């Protein structure tokens, strides 16, 4: 099998990165995580990746000041050196320019902790609680220049409980993220995801025939 060479871009603890590394340990997984790049020198995920024997690199955005283009050229150089096929953003907290995004059409994925197109941006769990939604979740999508807006590859949903705290809801969603991202990357790496009219079609995928009602009816 010709496994896709994947770089994971992080800025922090890297739990989604760790989930991808874990999934890619399986010999039948169609992608291998060959590189982890952080824009934050002391990101916790760098140590996790190194401990797993994966090459790491830091491209510190602060070194480039306001020169976003120079930062992205440095990032692209590292990806080129490692012959990367697919890029996974996993808690990567930099906005990318149309130039950089355009280098990776339908080859760069992002995970967002909400059911897009609801709750783009930051503080998704707090905003979901404030809005009183009964279902919340996570989305993996292809990256386009507009933030949190690309074609949706896969989503996972969880119930929101009446007395949820932001932390409790975040933990419930994070558990979904850790299953969702390996699934989405697998589908893309297998070449089963195509973008038609701005929407993803996934070849040979079936959805479970499940209805999630919240609140449940005890009667
Ligand atoms: C995750 O909730 C991800 O969806 C969001 O940032 C968080 C990163 O967490 N984009 P981790 O670094 O993967 O643990």
């Amino acid at each position: 099998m010709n496994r896709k060479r994947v770089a994971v871009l992080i800025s922090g603890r890297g739990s989604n990165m760790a989930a991808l590394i874990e999934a890619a340990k399986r010999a039948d997984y169609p992608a291998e995580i060959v590189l982890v790049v952080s824009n934050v020198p002391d990101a916790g995920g760098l140590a996790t990746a190194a401990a797993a024997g994966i090459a790491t690199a830091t491209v510190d955005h602060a070194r480039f000041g306001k020169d976003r283009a120079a930062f992205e050229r440095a990032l692209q150089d590292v990806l080129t050196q490692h012959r990367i096929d697919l890029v996974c953003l996993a808690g990567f907290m930099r906005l990318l320019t149309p130039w950089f995004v355009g280098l990776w059409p339908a080859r760069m994925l992002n995970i967002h902790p909400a059911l897009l197109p609801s709750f783009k941006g930051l503080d998704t769990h707090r905003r979901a609680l404030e809005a009183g939604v009964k279902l919340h979740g996570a989305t993996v999508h292809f990256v386009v220049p507009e933030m949190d807006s690309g074609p949706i590859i896969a989503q996972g949903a969880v119930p929101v409980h009446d007395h949820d705290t932001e932390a409790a809801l975040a933990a419930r969603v994070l558990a979904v993220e850790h299953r969702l991202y390996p699934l989405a990357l697998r589908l893309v790496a297998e070449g089963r995801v195509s973008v038609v009219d701005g929407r993803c079609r996934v070849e040979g995928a079936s959805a479970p025939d499940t209805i999630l009602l919240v609140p449940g009816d005890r009667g």
Side-chain angles (χ1 to χ4, degrees):
M1 182 177 35
N2 190 9
R3 302 175 85 198
K4 298 286 188 221
R5 295 173 61 81
V6 173
V8 183
L9 271 52
I10 63 167
S11 301
R13 70 188 159 179
S15 72
N16 278 290
M17 170 211 76
L20 292 172
I21 291 171
E22 191 56 37
K25 281 183 185 164
R26 291 181 54 137
D28 62 353
Y29 196 79
E32 52 180 335
I33 312 303
V34 297
L35 176 68
V36 170
V37 186
S38 173
N39 66 310
V40 176
D42 62 355
L46 286 171
T48 311
I54 291 165
T56 62
T58 299
V59 183
D60 181 0
H61 66 274
R63 272 186 34 229
F64 298 89
K66 286 198 164 54
D67 194 348
R68 214 171 259 276
F71 164 70
E72 291 185 345
R73 278 197 302 274
L75 192 55
Q76 179 65 13
D77 281 351
V78 178
L79 299 176
T80 306
Q81 278 157 24
H82 288 263
R83 294 177 286 111
I84 297 302
D85 299 309
L86 297 170
V87 175
C88 289
L89 308 183
F92 184 70
M93 302 303 284
R94 299 301 291 173
L95 288 177
L96 297 165
T97 68
W99 172 75
F100 186 83
V101 172
L103 296 173
W104 298 93
R107 294 197 299 144
M108 179 156 57
L109 291 65
N110 180 46
I111 187 154
H112 182 72
L115 291 171
L116 290 173
S118 293
F119 308 120
K120 296 176 182 180
L122 299 174
D123 297 325
T124 56
H125 308 309
R126 180 178 55 71
R127 289 190 288 139
L129 290 174
E130 281 170 6
V133 293
K134 301 300 184 198
L135 290 170
H136 187 42
T139 302
V140 176
H141 63 93
F142 284 124
V143 176
V144 297
E146 196 187 336
M147 186 185 65
D148 299 331
S149 296
I152 292 169
I153 301 164
Q155 292 186 303
V158 289
V160 179
H161 300 314
D162 278 352
H163 301 291
D164 262 343
T165 60
E166 203 178 324
L169 184 56
R172 197 174 307 125
V173 171
L174 194 62
V176 172
E177 295 183 44
H178 295 165
R179 286 175 55 188
L180 186 69
Y181 216 166
L183 165 68
L185 176 60
R186 179 165 64 78
L187 296 172
V188 172
E190 285 172 347
R192 292 165 59 190
V193 182
S194 52
V195 180
V196 181
D197 294 335
R199 291 185 290 265
C200 286
R201 298 271 175 276
V202 183
E203 200 183 297
S206 63
D209 190 13
T210 310
I211 296 175
L212 186 54
L213 296 180
V214 186
D217 181 5
R218 281 208 212 118

